[in-house]
Amino acid sequence: MEATSEHEPASIWRHALKDLELQMSPADFRTWFSATELASCDGPVCTVQIENPMTKGWLDSKCKPLVARTLRDLLGRSVDVEFAVRSPRGVSARPATLELEAPPGAR
């Protein structure tokens, strides 16, 4: 990679996605990689954020070596890949408290 901006996670992931798209069927690529992003790639671990646990399971079992190899080729160093389910946007980390009213006549 030539430019410093090329080391930003979003730029690295754009390049990786282009390479991954060439290595798999269009349907698989759209299904499993359309809503992914590279959260970080510091040191030996690159973390890819994904939408849900089902996607995580499939990517872990079917695509982890492919993604690691693709990132290794782009970065020029070996990396471990972790897939992490991202929290839905706008959802707080603390679960909501359920408040129930007493049934009529229970007061």
Side-chain angles (χ1 to χ4, degrees):
M1 298 203 167
E2 301 83 33
T4 306
S5 65
E6 296 286 319
H7 294 287
E8 295 298 318
S11 179
I12 293 167
W13 196 236
R14 273 193 304 277
H15 289 286
L17 288 174
K18 287 178 186 176
D19 290 347
L20 289 167
E21 187 173 17
L22 297 173
Q23 300 177 65
M24 55 194 342
S25 75
D28 281 346
F29 179 78
R30 277 191 311 276
T31 300
W32 304 110
F33 287 95
S34 64
T36 60
E37 65 184 64
L38 186 63
S40 65
C41 202
D42 301 321
V45 178
C46 291
T47 302
V48 178
Q49 287 188 330
I50 55 175
E51 291 287 313
N52 60 61
M54 186 182 92
T55 300
K56 180 182 183 333
W58 196 88
L59 290 173
D60 274 333
S61 67
K62 303 287 187 187
C63 292
K64 197 171 201 169
L66 176 64
V67 174
R69 189 173 52 250
T70 299
L71 288 170
R72 180 199 66 210
D73 292 347
L74 287 171
L75 298 171
R77 60 183 165 89
S78 291
V79 296
D80 290 322
V81 174
E82 291 182 358
F83 297 104
V85 178
R86 70 175 145 248
S87 300
R89 294 173 193 215
V91 174
S92 69
R94 199 179 100 220
T97 303
L98 179 62
E99 295 182 23
L100 301 174
E101 291 184 23
R107 294 179 189 195

